[in-house]
Amino acid sequence: MKKVLITRKLLRSNEERMSKLWDAKFNLNDEVYSQNKLIELSKDCDGILSSILDKIDEETINKLPDSVKIISNFAVGFGNIDIKAARKKNVIITNTPDILTDATAEIAMLLILGAARRASEGLKWARNKNWKWSVDFLIGKQLEGSRLGILGMGRIGRAVSLRAKAFGMQIHYHNRTRLKTDLEAGANYHDSIKSLFSVSDILSINCPATPETTNIINKETLEFFPKGAIITNSARGDMIDDEDMVQALISKRIFSLGLDVYKGEPNIHPGYLNQPNVFILPHLGSATMKTRTAMADLAIDNIEEYFKTGICKNMVN
Ligand code: DGY
């Protein structure tokens, strides 16, 4: 029987499936393993089912026992793993694409709505009871008729676009390559971020974290937006220079911000916590029972496919 280390606690139905397939090493307390502990626990394992909080960098990859041939990441993103170092060591890395598209697009819409309609401030007022309806109380921005810029028009970006259209928004996007007309579905393509940002009343960040997209929202690029724009991020925290963003919120250059993801999670830049116009969630993009179950099933399928055939269709390296 193959031996597999599962680094985080998964849903019971998924754990039951794994118990039948493998000699599965579960994480009963759901602690986040240090790099050393992960290496130690991988002893004699054939594979690892990892999650986004496992920092599997070059040093960790090189110290893993040679028996580990596959790391199946329980996420569509894989920025937590050095995939090049893994390739050098002949360890394949897989992810869980497609199945979290709808759940993540729903959270992207929640961020857009929450930031545009001042949900954080609204919740605070509603809870402290000391409020009264008045004509200019917590005036927000209306989605209908506004321009939504989508940075990264992959599966999730397109699912956001579909939902935003139902709210009456006009869709603009930037991608490394222009989409075919049927996938574009009437959205306006911009060949540079400057051009996209300059028409974005609201921006939804849906691109992967790469060296090219790291801090793509910074002091200089924030100037490209119309004054009073809204920015939302349901992809990865790496894309935003937090210091520059806090300054843009203070100066009101940016009206509000909606975030589900952060640099160095679970830490959140303290500047965001002090700003009333920031709507924040704790990385809930894929957090529905349907999606989390499907993600684990796919992460398991990836390992199974690899054990049976020596390859896997969701390989990312
Ligand atoms: C992913 O799959 O990358 C998600 O962010 C995890 O929730």
Side-chain angles (χ1 to χ4, degrees), residues 73-78 94-106 154-159 163 183 285-286 288 290-292 294-296 298-299 302 313-314 316:
N73 209 36
F74 177 88
V76 66
F78 41 85
T94 62
N95 71 342
T96 60
D98 290 325
I99 47 189
L100 39 70
T101 299
D102 291 328
T104 309
E106 286 172 11
R155 286 173 289 247
I156 296 173
R158 296 200 299 277
R163 286 155 177 78
L183 289 181
S286 61
T288 68
K290 179 176 175 183
T291 294
R292 288 278 161 86
M295 284 167 76
L298 186 53
N302 288 340
K313 62 178 170 307
N314 292 319
V316 294

